[in-house]
Amino acid sequence: MAGKQKRSSSEISLYSPLEELKGIGPKKAESLEKLGLFCFADALDLYPREYEDLRCKKQIADLEDGEKAVVTARVLLVRLGRGYGKKRTLHVLTEDNTGRMEVLFFAGGFLAKQFRQGDEFRFFGKVKVENGRVTMFHPSYVRSDGEQAEGIQPVYPLTRGVTQKDVRLCTSTALMHTDELPESLPEAIVKDAKLCSNAYALANIHYPENDDKYREARYRLVYEELFYLDAALAMSKTHGGRGSAGRSITGPYAQEFIKTLPYELTGAQKRVLSEVLSDMASGRAMNRLVQGDVGSGKTVIAAAAMLQSAKNGCQSAFMAPTDILAHQHFETLKKLFSGLGINVELLSGNMPAAERKRVLSGLADGSVDVAVGTHALISEGVKYRDLALVITDEQHRFGVNQRQNLSAKGVCPDVLVMTATPIPRTLAVVLYADLDVSVIDELPPGRIPIITKGYTEETRDKAYDLLVSEVGKGRQAYIVAPFIEDSEAIDGMSAEGLFAGFAKDHPDIRAELLHGRMSQQEKDSIMERFYSGQIQVLVSTVVIEVGIDVPDATVMLIENSERFGLAQMHQLRGRVGRGKHQSYCLIVTCDDSQTARERADIMCSTSDGFVIAEKDLEIRGPGEFFGFRQHGLPQLKMADPVKHMAVAQRAKEDVRKLLAQDPKLASAENAVFAKNLADKYMQAGRLTL
Ligand code: ADP
Ligand code: MG
């Protein structure tokens, strides 16, 4: 290739392949590709994972136990320790003019070649000082060769065959050319939000000049990331969700249906239903999330909406996360709609071919009003005559893309997402930037509150005594374990182990094991038998987490509670207390740490899903709380929607203002932003997250 000619840092362009630069050979370039670096512009997006602060360089004799420091030292001796091959520990003995320091790399065998006796390195890491022995663990390092680097140096994530120096070369080269980059946000936004420039932000996120400049840079990049995400979501809402068709579903049907129920709706249900109905009547596509704790009565809201749609001559799809739950909804809806002239059908994965064909043709010719099933309902092969409403239940993973798939089918239906997983309001603002949110914050009256009790290893037997006595009264029970098999159970209870033990101790009780590795058919058949009362005790992993409704189940026993999230335990607890009997949630905690006890206490003291969700968020932090991906949102690189809530809100506001002025981002001053946004989040006019 002609491109073999090497150039200097100042001669390359941002979009030159890395190999064009003197000092980067073909092998190195290939390794750098593994970090996502193909051209120099890519390097700008690879943010440092931390910084080597050369303002706090230290000599070995001055190091203090536990501190993180930068030390320049010569290699005296390299020795491979325990382990095999690449897994071997690497010991590098080093010295400066004040003393000696051992540098340790676990599984660092493959690094051995990099350290040669006499070479000088700058090590940056955490130090242990014990009885005069100085050790540094797993530091990042750069060969210094007497070079006097200053200031704050970036520490990048690395991969095999790539050193800090290599990446630093790429980023510092790229930074020489940021004047080629156009401003990536609309100029007006940069001015209004008082952001620093693009080039300034990049320079100071890679090589911060000082703490203030670093903070400015960081603020801008966080803002920018959230601004792009919000804009993409907002555009999908205007172009994908809110269809041109302008269907308007109206009439007194839903309200009349509500009057026929044997109970009165709670105030919260009434409010949410009217929000839903007004969305449906509006002539724009509905995009609404309904949050309501387990048992708050979401199903009947869904039913009323589907009835409204059917009476307007349109079809609805009601999606559940599993076949078994779909089955249950199907039965519930048949009862609710009986005598109302609405044709409900179940479309399930394991139904006979002829039956399936019949339902499919009913959907295509419009004779079926309401289809109940799993995600298969919106898959390729399923055709509707006029699908106007799609409802997903207990489905936290109904992401932006799926909503888009629907509108891509050209149907632009109203979309209603129902979830019992309470998402703290603060987080919902960002996660559901493109959704309207309704909350059912009230339970139907007359529920017997579930009694929640905490147990330890010592008192575990008491929990089982209670469970067995309930079963003796003709009730059913769940035992939930964090793992399937014992081998996975580091020190936790496995469902298999518990099941074997329980069956042995109680040969008279009909118990069964259920776990996620069973086939769907096996799981369904076990759930059917539990539902019909043939099975008394179900020992399982969290596969039963979602909204199955067994009224006679009154005991939920959670083993190794320390291994479950609070929100997850709350979901599990929601599986009981669905009938007319007193129910129990028994929480066995096998870890006497502060947090484990705290969590059990929270469960015992409140049944409010929102309180629990907030606590969960506090304890676990946003990263673990909800994978962003679960919501069909992309991984964010720098922004954290909880930590940066204020920035997130500001960005969202600003996006709204921008789109109010220029809804299609067609104006010249927004051209660069529009193009970047499309490159980042759109394909063929559709949002891809
Ligand atoms: P979830 O919100 O967990 O899906 P469901 O819709 O399954 O809750 O409702 C739980 C139970 O409460 C159902 O048996 C339903 O018939 C009943 N229910 C719903 N709304 C009311 C109400 N307003 N008053 C009394 N019972 C209700
Ligand atoms: Mg439900």
Side-chain angles (χ1 to χ4, degrees):
M1 231 179 78
K4 286 271 186 243
Q5 191 199 341
K6 292 289 189 184
R7 296 172 197 279
S8 72
S9 287
S10 57
E11 287 164 348
I12 62 102
S13 99
L14 275 181
Y15 300 97
S16 308
L18 300 179
E19 253 193 273
E20 259 182 37
L21 184 66
K22 277 185 202 132
I24 298 184
K27 229 175 131 191
K28 188 63 82 186
E30 212 182 298
S31 301
L32 285 160
E33 282 181 12
K34 282 187 263 162
L35 288 174
L37 308 189
F38 294 87
C39 66
F40 289 93
D42 296 331
L44 296 173
D45 288 337
L46 183 77
Y47 299 146
R49 66 176 161 78
E50 61 178 343
Y51 297 89
E52 181 190 16
D53 191 347
L54 299 177
R55 296 169 306 179
C56 40
K57 273 190 270 194
K58 279 215 165 178
Q59 299 204 297
I60 292 175
D62 300 330
L63 290 171
E64 281 162 42
D65 189 39
E67 78 175 325
K68 216 165 175 183
V70 178
V71 177
T72 305
R74 286 175 306 277
V75 175
L76 276 180
L77 198 73
V78 179
R79 182 171 65 81
L80 280 167
R82 272 177 296 153
Y84 288 97
K86 290 166 185 146
K87 289 264 166 70
R88 294 177 82 169
T89 306
L90 179 69
H91 302 252
V92 181
L93 186 65
T94 67
E95 70 168 0
D96 68 3
N97 298 332
T98 68
R100 288 184 174 184
M101 172 174 84
E102 183 173 38
V103 176
L104 260 181
F105 296 94
F106 302 110
F110 67 96
L111 297 174
K113 280 198 292 251
Q114 302 199 17
F115 298 98
R116 262 180 321 201
Q117 201 181 345
D119 285 353
E120 190 184 78
F121 285 86
R122 227 167 37 233
F123 297 99
F124 166 58
K126 199 165 168 177
V127 180
K128 190 171 105 179
V129 184
E130 200 176 49
N131 306 327
R133 277 182 62 133
V134 182
T135 318
M136 189 182 269
F137 295 96
H138 248 304
S140 53
Y141 56 91
V142 202
R143 186 199 294 260
S144 58
D145 302 330
E147 155 213 63
Q148 287 302 312
E150 298 283 322
I152 306 166
Q153 296 285 319
V155 176
Y156 295 103
L158 297 179
T159 186
R160 187 76 50 85
V162 176
T163 65
Q164 284 300 340
K165 267 217 159 142
D166 298 330
V167 186
R168 286 179 187 179
L169 176 63
C170 294
T171 54
S172 57
T173 302
L175 284 168
M176 293 168 69
H177 298 273
T178 45
D179 50 355
E180 295 168 25
L181 283 176
E183 173 53 59
S184 49
L185 286 169
E187 292 288 356
I189 296 287
V190 176
K191 223 166 121 213
D192 282 358
K194 297 196 175 59
L195 303 172
C196 63
S197 77
N198 200 9
Y200 180 101
L202 290 169
N204 282 287
I205 207 68
H206 287 282
Y207 298 88
E209 233 179 275
N210 57 43
D211 296 350
D212 285 341
K213 290 188 175 182
Y214 167 73
R215 268 193 288 276
E216 263 182 284
R218 199 178 161 83
Y219 182 86
R220 143 115 203 185
L221 295 172
V222 166
Y223 177 98
E224 180 168 347
E225 195 169 27
L226 292 167
F227 190 89
Y228 268 78
L229 177 62
D230 265 330
L233 291 168
M235 296 287 281
S236 81
K237 188 169 174 173
T238 31
H239 300 307
R242 310 232 146 144
S244 48
R247 213 184 324 239
S248 175
I249 305 283
T250 57
Y253 315 105
Q255 298 296 357
E256 275 166 15
F257 162 72
I258 291 305
K259 288 194 202 120
T260 68
L261 296 171
Y263 47 77
E264 190 174 347
L265 290 194
T266 62
Q269 281 173 312
K270 284 182 193 161
R271 189 187 67 237
V272 171
L273 179 61
S274 75
E275 285 165 354
V276 168
L277 292 177
S278 85
D279 280 358
M280 291 173 70
S282 75
R284 291 172 294 121
M286 167 165 69
N287 231 340
R288 185 169 289 278
L289 172 79
V290 172
Q291 289 189 57
D293 221 335
V294 273
S296 61
K298 295 182 290 293
T299 316
V300 68
I301 307 280
M306 292 190 287
L307 179 115
Q308 183 85 340
S309 168
K311 292 294 180 192
N312 277 260
C314 301
Q315 294 171 295
S316 312
F318 192 20
M319 296 195 285
T322 63
D323 261 335
I324 178 91
L325 206 60
H327 217 98
Q328 194 167 66
H329 279 320
F330 176 58
E331 297 298 331
T332 307
L333 290 175
K334 266 201 305 199
K335 271 186 225 137
L336 280 171
F337 290 152
S338 80
L340 298 175
I342 291 183
N343 188 8
V344 195
E345 290 286 0
L346 178 72
L347 190 71
S348 122
N350 49 19
M351 64 205 289
E355 177 73 1
R356 187 178 162 80
K357 223 174 133 194
R358 185 183 64 78
V359 175
L360 285 177
S361 80
L363 290 171
D365 68 21
S367 60
V368 174
D369 301 309
V370 173
V372 185
T374 62
H375 268 102
L377 282 184
I378 55 161
S379 63
E380 286 293 306
V382 185
K383 301 265 185 305
Y384 294 83
R385 195 177 63 87
D386 188 11
L387 181 62
L389 174 63
V390 173
I391 302 181
T392 61
D393 186 35
E394 309 284 2
Q395 182 53 277
H396 335 139
R397 291 177 194 83
F398 193 72
V400 179
N401 287 336
Q402 281 153 314
R403 271 178 261 139
Q404 288 253 319
N405 279 345
L406 279 175
S407 39
K409 283 182 136 183
V411 282
C412 273
D414 285 325
V415 170
L416 191 62
V417 178
M418 305 197 305
T419 177
T421 305
I423 296 148
R425 258 160 269 251
T426 43
L427 194 52
V429 173
V430 184
L431 288 177
Y432 294 109
D434 61 331
L435 284 176
D436 300 310
V437 180
S438 294
V439 182
I440 310 184
D441 48 6
E442 186 182 352
L443 290 181
R447 289 273 159 80
I448 311 169
I450 299 166
I451 296 174
T452 303
K453 292 184 179 187
Y455 297 87
T456 62
E457 297 249 52
E458 288 79 55
T459 58
R460 165 185 278 127
D461 286 351
K462 290 215 175 78
Y464 280 87
D465 290 348
L466 202 158
L467 183 143
V468 170
S469 95
E470 279 290 300
V471 173
K473 290 187 213 159
R475 317 270 195 273
Q476 292 163 280
Y478 300 96
I479 301 174
V480 176
F483 306 104
I484 301 176
E485 295 162 5
D486 265 332
S487 56
E488 299 167 85
I490 305 123
D491 50 2
M493 293 283 175
S494 75
E496 276 184 353
L498 281 168
F499 171 67
F502 188 86
K504 190 161 147 274
D505 292 347
H506 305 281
D508 50 321
I509 293 179
R510 296 184 303 277
E512 196 62 78
L513 176 68
L514 178 80
H515 60 70
R517 276 199 217 137
M518 293 173 159
S519 72
Q520 193 58 47
Q521 234 168 338
E522 269 178 293
K523 282 191 284 192
D524 285 353
S525 122
I526 290 170
M527 279 317 298
E528 291 293 351
R529 286 190 291 136
F530 188 65
Y531 193 45
S532 67
Q534 294 169 57
I535 295 171
Q536 294 168 291
V537 174
L538 196 62
V539 184
S540 82
T541 52
V542 285
V543 285
I544 48 137
E545 200 183 328
V546 282
I548 211 82
D549 202 348
V550 181
D552 276 340
T554 60
V555 182
M556 168 60 65
L557 192 155
I558 303 173
E559 279 280 5
N560 280 102
S561 78
E562 65 276 7
R563 299 213 170 252
F564 292 96
L566 280 176
Q568 207 173 18
M569 284 199 270
H570 182 64
Q571 283 287 300
L572 288 169
R573 178 163 61 184
R575 297 305 104 227
V576 297
R578 306 204 137 224
K580 49 188 184 298
H581 309 293
Q582 175 65 58
S583 286
Y584 303 88
C585 178
L586 313 177
I587 296 180
V588 184
T589 306
C590 307
D591 170 351
D592 57 2
S593 71
Q594 174 82 21
T595 20
R597 256 178 298 136
E598 227 175 86
R599 284 152 30 94
D601 287 349
I602 293 167
M603 287 300 295
C604 294
S605 65
T606 181
S607 59
D608 182 326
F610 281 98
V611 174
I612 288 173
E614 298 279 0
K615 294 275 184 201
D616 208 20
L617 187 61
E618 245 170 62
I619 294 176
R620 288 202 285 166
E624 280 189 49
F625 183 76
F626 270 120
F628 233 52
R629 281 189 188 284
Q630 276 195 18
H631 298 269
L633 294 174
Q635 215 71 40
L636 293 172
K637 288 200 322 197
M638 187 156 286
D640 174 333
V642 174
K643 217 159 69 192
H644 305 127
M645 183 57 54
V647 192
Q649 249 143 5
R650 169 82 206 243
K652 195 173 162 182
E653 252 333 274
D654 291 349
V655 164
R656 189 172 310 161
K657 274 190 247 159
L658 178 74
L659 290 180
Q661 285 164 11
D662 185 4
K664 296 211 154 93
L665 295 178
S667 72
E669 59 266 39
N670 293 329
V672 174
F673 173 64
K675 180 175 181 310
N676 283 355
L677 186 68
D679 286 349
K680 198 171 158 113
Y681 285 128
M682 309 274 185
Q683 251 165 40
R686 288 183 52 211
L687 187 70
T688 53
L689 290 172

